[in-house]
Structures are given as C-alpha cells and as structure tokens.
Amino acid sequence: MTAGPLLATTREELSAVLGPHRGAGARVALVPTMGALHDGHESLLRLARERVGDGPVVTSIFVNPLQFAPGEDLDRYPRTLDADLEVCRRQGVDVVFAPSVTEVYPDGDPLVTVDPGLLAAELEGESRPGHFRGVLTVVAKLFGLTRPDLAVFGEKDFQQLVLIRRMSRDLCTGVEVIGAPTVREPDGLALSSRNRFLDSEARARAAVLSRALRAAEEHASYGVEAARDAALRVLEGEPGVDVDYLAIRTPELGHLDETGGHEAAAGRILVAARVGGTRLIDNLALVLGGQAHARPPVGDR
Ligand code: PAF
C-alpha cells in the first residue's frame, strides 16, 4: 500500500510541504477541485502526473463560496474528504490542500476580484451571474498559493476552462493551463459531482444531453443550423428536460459567422438543462461544414 498524500490545510503548511520539491527544482502540477472526486477527477490527476513526471502533483479541495450565488447548491454540495483522500492516494497525489473558507478568505469577501470579461455574462454566466468572477478569483489565489508550473482542468466545464486559460494568459501567471477530455458513463452522461443528485428516473433521462451533442456532431457537416436543429430535436423528444441554452460557438467560445465560408470550421456545442431539478451541462467539439446552405437529406431532418 502506497503512503497517502500529505494533507495541508493552511498556507504555511502548503508552502512547507512544497519547499523541498521547489528546492530540488521540480515542476509542480496543480489540479484544483471542489472535492467529491469521481473518475473524471481521477483522469485529471493522471494527466497531471503524466505531464509533471516526478514532480509533485498537488490537488486542492475547496468548495468555493464565492462562485455560488445565493439560492444555489453551496450548502448541499457534497463534501467527502476521507473518500477524496483515498482517491488521491490511489492516484499517487503528493499533496492535498484542503483549506477552510477563512484560510482562503481571511478578510471575508475579497475587496479585489478577477474581472472575467464579457464572455462571463454569456452561456453559464447568464443563469449564474457572478459565478466566473468567483471561479477566476479562487483559481488566481490557488495559483498564487501553489505557484504551479501547470494546472489541469476538465473540458466538461468548457467555459470555465476557456476563461481560466484566458486569465492565465492575460494576467501573465506563467501557469500552463491544460484541458482534460470529459469522462463519460457508458450511456454518454458526462461525469459530474452533481450527478449524485439525480434520482433513477432523472438519471435515465440525463443521457439525453450527450445524445443531443452526438446528433449535432452527426449533422455538423451540413452547417451550424443543421447541427443545432438535430440537437434540439433530440432534447425536445425527451420529456422532463428543461433546456437552459444550446449554443454552437468557436472553440474559444466566440460567435460563429453563420453565413458560412467555404472552409470547414472548428466549433463547440454547449448545452445546459435541468433534469429532475438538477442542472447539468455538457459540450462537444464539432467540425462544421463550410457550406451553410447545404442541408441534410430530407428524411434525416
Ligand atoms: O471546477 C471546479 O471544481 C471549480 O470551479 C474550481 C475550478 C475548482 C474552482 O473552484
């Protein structure tokens, strides 16, 4: 049995455990999480280990109040530290940083926060105002406290990944931001800590999100409209699913020119929906056909 990770709960402890690694010139990898670790997180930890070699892998476990709006699920967000430590042991994590709220925000809500820019008001940001300000602020703090060379985030939260990458570049943090592919259940449902809130009926329905994305992928060669329509048909065919948004954007989440050029273009389809009271999100890369006027065969619409 391998020794478990070192657990640091204060800034001083974190800096003390990382000191010797830094002294030896090791590269440091950080995997920020809110805990309730599942197979999706395990894949992030494996990717961090692959990228950092013998250097330390640090994971933070912190349910960040700043990214939850009043009335969101902060209080019922799962907290499972013992099980999380076991996952970290299995994945050879060197250090777990699990601070308290006062350790991260000693003066209460911070006076100065990271402004996430215009993209943060769209998609997820439209129904979760302030969410990305909270995410970027805590990630900036975690970067400052850990001073990693690289940090790994899941593509499942794609808008978050795009914004963190942008923050790292715009604020010159020096941290390489790496995206890890989404891990899925056999029926396609993207793994998420919130999946545990789904009852069995909602769980069966929830796979409709990934089915809709796959339908868009199959129709993407006919252009943006055909891809979006295909996804919508799948979503509308499933009762009890309340779609919040379905959008097709560029890979950096800019708006696409839907008049279409003649070149195939990379895109990203993103969906958010409530299934049995639980809000789920998912996304997929698309290769969009260049001719927007091309349509799928009639029987296939
Ligand atoms: O994706 C998450 O779990 C959180 O948003 C993150 C990046 C750890 C910041 O709290």
Side-chain angles (χ1 to χ4, degrees):
M1 179 133 158
T2 52
L6 293 170
L7 177 63
T9 58
T10 63
R11 298 161 183 234
E12 291 73 26
E13 283 168 9
L14 179 64
S15 138
V17 293
L18 286 177
H21 293 284
R22 273 195 227 291
R27 276 162 59 78
V28 176
L30 173 66
V31 182
T33 78
M34 298 205 297
L37 303 182
H38 49 64
D39 289 358
H41 294 109
E42 293 205 44
S43 80
L44 307 185
L45 297 172
R46 278 194 294 274
L47 186 57
R49 169 60 65 215
E50 246 173 70
R51 292 298 182 95
V52 88
D54 291 338
V57 172
V58 182
T59 186
S60 57
I61 296 181
F62 179 63
V63 183
N64 173 34
L66 205 63
Q67 69 189 72
F68 289 79
E72 283 191 343
D73 56 357
L74 174 63
D75 292 338
R76 70 170 192 148
Y77 200 87
R79 287 152 171 95
T80 58
L81 186 60
D82 289 343
D84 293 346
L85 289 173
E86 175 51 27
V87 170
C88 292
R89 189 195 60 74
R90 206 163 54 229
Q91 291 301 332
V93 169
D94 299 278
V95 180
V96 171
F97 179 47
S100 65
V101 173
T102 44
E103 189 64 26
V104 177
Y105 299 112
D107 306 315
D109 270 4
L111 199 57
V112 176
T113 57
V114 178
D115 177 351
L118 292 179
L119 174 58
E122 300 178 2
L123 303 167
E124 279 303 281
E126 210 169 319
S127 31
R128 306 189 69 189
H131 172 66
F132 289 115
R133 178 183 74 96
V135 170
L136 295 194
T137 300
V138 82
V139 171
K141 275 175 164 275
L142 292 168
F143 282 5
L145 291 169
T146 312
R147 290 189 285 121
D149 295 277
L150 59 94
V152 182
F153 299 85
E155 286 184 353
K156 152 80 177 20
D157 295 299
F158 195 75
Q159 190 177 3
Q160 167 175 285
L161 172 63
V162 166
L163 285 168
I164 291 172
R165 192 170 268 145
R166 195 57 209 250
M167 172 185 79
S168 198
R169 201 169 80 211
D170 287 353
L171 300 186
C172 308
T173 66
V175 180
E176 183 191 357
V177 174
I178 296 169
T182 302
V183 179
R184 297 178 180 280
E185 299 281 6
D187 67 355
L189 177 66
L191 295 196
S192 161
S193 305
R194 290 189 171 92
N195 290 353
R196 66 185 70 197
F197 298 143
L198 298 165
D199 63 22
S200 59
E201 195 191 325
R203 169 63 192 83
R205 292 206 161 127
V208 72
L209 269 72
S210 70
R211 281 206 312 279
L213 301 184
R214 293 282 169 216
E217 187 183 33
E218 280 163 24
H219 288 73
S221 61
Y222 299 106
V224 179
E225 201 185 319
R228 190 190 297 117
D229 287 352
L232 270 177
R233 275 195 304 277
V234 174
L235 289 165
E236 283 163 6
E238 186 74 47
V241 175
D242 184 11
V243 178
D244 187 353
Y245 61 80
L246 176 76
I248 300 181
R249 297 283 182 98
T250 70
E252 289 76 39
L253 301 185
H255 291 267
L256 278 158
D257 173 8
E258 294 197 26
T259 55
H262 291 279
E263 303 295 320
R268 198 93 195 177
I269 182 163
L270 304 101
V271 63
R274 277 190 179 279
V275 185
T278 300
R279 192 167 179 285
L280 300 174
I281 59 173
D282 201 352
N283 68 88
L284 196 67
L286 298 179
V287 181
L288 294 157
Q291 286 149 8
H293 56 268
R295 303 286 294 168
V298 172
D300 200 20
R301 289 192 194 166

